[in-house]
Amino acid sequence: MTNPPPWQNVRDAIESAWPASGYRDLGVVVGCSGGADSVALLRSLVESVRQPAAPSPPRGFLVVAHFNHQFRGRESHADAEFVRQLAGQLAVPLETECGQGAEQDEESARNDRREFFRTVMRRHGARYLALGHSRDDNVETVLYRLMRGTGPAGMAGIASFRPFSDDPSGSDFVIARPMLDLGRDQIREALRSINAPWRDDASNRSNAYRRNWIRNELLPTMQSQFPQAVPAIARAIQGQRQWLDALQPVIDRWLATVQIREKPLTLRRLDRIGGEAETELTATPLRDQAVAIEALRRCWQRSGWPLRDMGQFHWTRVFEMLCGRGPDALTLPGAVEIRRDPESLTLVRRH
């Protein structure tokens, strides 16, 4: 029995993670940088939507979205031209936008690109934003978080599907990442097998960005001693993701018991909760630090507050305040101020 060709393996993996029946009648914006991962994702989705064996024509649509940061001058414009030609070849509408071209940190660049995607989704009435993150991206993300002192949820890596944002303007949109089980080398081999070109970003070889250092220096060093480090870490991430998914109903119950109001965010002190709520502690472990921290993280997301600089140390400080320990006032990264009164905590972000 012969093995399926490399491109078919990639197609099958994407279809398994995200069956075409789930999006072919809806709108999908596909973020495409011109790199191998996003090119493979775009080609796969186009082929899946246009399958001749489908019982009926698709009622949905695909749109390609390319954000040109203009960081690399001619190379950036060549990437944009490559995506324009690819979209034309595949007969898929294209949306593009250019950034300022000035040097930015990773988070600012990501925010600019994210706002562009949000605008494109609104304009077209799309439901999904499809992004081509691979298994290697997931492993690099977890290593990055680990070195910043992440908690258990950070070790769960990138979610395959998640709301675009928790604020009302983005809650109807869903980010889909159906390539998290595919390795970077596997994706490139598949594209070569069908003579499909892609663009290589030379800036990925620079270690100016920490994620690039993880990719170019840390992981190769790890693999010199543990050749299967990437798939092994990926399996650990999958276990953490299953743990986090199982925890979601518990977090829902915690918030239902503890949160008084959303604006301003006000939470009951855990050391003041008693009576009927106390009898439900076995079902809702209010004083379990892991549950509380993941619930607090959700509050941050809903409020649109920055999570990047919130390490495990900061979450632990907030949990201690909820339990009646530590100071009565605290300022956290992102200018989030917490004040504790006899019955509750109030959290406000100062701009």
Side-chain angles (χ1 to χ4, degrees):
M1 182 176 179
T2 59
N3 294 324
W7 177 244
Q8 189 59 51
N9 280 331
V10 166
R11 286 282 319 281
D12 290 346
I14 294 173
E15 174 69 17
S16 176
W18 194 25
S21 59
Y23 62 84
R24 70 189 305 272
D25 293 329
L26 299 169
V28 180
V29 172
V30 186
C32 186
S33 66
D37 299 344
S38 60
V39 167
L41 177 61
L42 175 60
R43 285 184 172 276
S44 179
L45 297 185
V46 168
E47 290 182 18
S48 294
V49 164
R50 296 176 182 170
Q51 280 223 26
S56 61
R59 296 195 300 271
F61 60 84
L62 297 175
V63 175
V64 183
H66 176 81
F67 189 83
N68 180 2
H69 289 284
Q70 302 193 95
F71 291 162
R72 296 176 293 115
R74 291 181 180 177
E75 286 295 304
S76 292
H77 292 296
D79 291 347
E81 176 60 18
F82 172 84
V83 175
R84 186 190 67 78
Q85 293 183 14
L86 177 62
Q89 174 192 340
L90 298 175
V92 180
L94 172 67
E95 291 271 6
T96 63
E97 186 174 304
C98 290
Q100 299 299 314
E103 277 300 318
Q104 293 177 295
D105 58 40
E106 292 174 86
E107 185 174 9
S108 297
R110 186 165 54 248
N111 288 340
D112 287 349
R113 187 168 60 247
R114 186 182 181 85
E115 191 56 38
F116 163 65
F117 287 147
R118 185 200 300 262
T119 300
V120 173
M121 294 179 77
R122 283 179 182 159
R123 183 181 300 141
H124 290 270
R127 171 65 171 165
Y128 290 101
L129 170 64
L131 299 175
H133 292 107
S134 68
R135 179 180 64 188
D136 298 72
D137 293 313
N138 210 4
V139 168
E140 291 160 10
T141 295
V142 166
L143 289 174
Y144 175 76
R145 292 176 179 174
L146 181 63
M147 286 183 284
R148 291 183 57 248
T150 190
M155 297 292 290
I158 306 169
S160 298
F161 297 92
R162 67 175 299 273
F164 185 89
S165 66
D166 290 298
D167 64 85
S169 65
S171 59
D172 289 337
F173 306 142
V174 177
I175 298 177
R177 296 181 174 95
M179 300 177 69
L180 293 177
D181 289 333
L182 291 166
R184 191 173 287 143
D185 291 341
Q186 180 183 4
I187 293 166
R188 281 153 179 73
E189 179 189 1
L191 288 174
R192 282 191 288 266
S193 74
I194 59 171
N195 297 316
W198 67 86
R199 295 279 299 173
D200 279 320
D201 185 344
S203 68
N204 286 335
R205 295 191 289 272
S206 166
N207 291 334
Y209 291 134
R210 290 174 179 173
R211 288 177 184 271
N212 286 356
W213 176 82
I214 291 171
R215 176 182 301 179
N216 300 329
E217 299 291 338
L218 178 60
L219 268 173
T221 300
M222 294 171 65
Q223 290 170 309
S224 69
Q225 297 297 318
F226 300 93
Q228 295 301 309
V230 170
I233 295 171
R235 289 193 297 273
I237 292 171
Q238 186 177 29
Q240 285 296 110
R241 174 60 51 185
Q242 292 168 350
W243 166 84
L244 186 59
D245 290 344
L247 199 62
Q248 294 309 311
V250 182
I251 292 172
D252 291 339
R253 291 196 296 268
W254 191 96
L255 287 169
T257 304
V258 176
Q259 184 171 313
I260 298 172
R261 66 181 65 89
E262 192 166 322
K263 292 185 178 181
L265 180 59
T266 308
L267 306 172
R268 290 186 175 88
R269 286 176 51 166
L270 300 183
D271 59 329
R272 294 292 188 266
I273 294 178
E276 293 182 9
E278 193 73 33
T279 64
E280 298 179 3
L281 287 179
T282 54
T284 308
L286 296 177
R287 292 171 179 78
D288 185 296
Q289 182 170 329
V291 173
I293 288 176
E294 295 317 312
L296 289 167
R297 196 186 306 273
R298 188 186 297 183
C299 291
W300 249 249
Q301 290 173 332
R302 287 177 177 173
S303 300
W305 297 341
L307 279 163
R308 184 172 181 268
D309 294 324
M310 285 290 294
Q312 191 70 7
F313 168 78
H314 300 106
W315 296 120
T316 300
R317 295 291 301 278
V318 181
F319 175 73
E320 289 173 346
M321 289 182 71
L322 276 170
C323 294
R325 302 191 297 271
D328 288 328
L330 184 66
T331 299
L332 295 167
V336 176
E337 295 182 358
I338 308 178
R339 294 195 176 277
R340 181 172 60 198
D341 62 34
E343 298 298 327
S344 63
L345 265 67
T346 301
L347 299 88
V348 178
R349 187 182 184 195
R350 304 299 182 191
H351 295 281

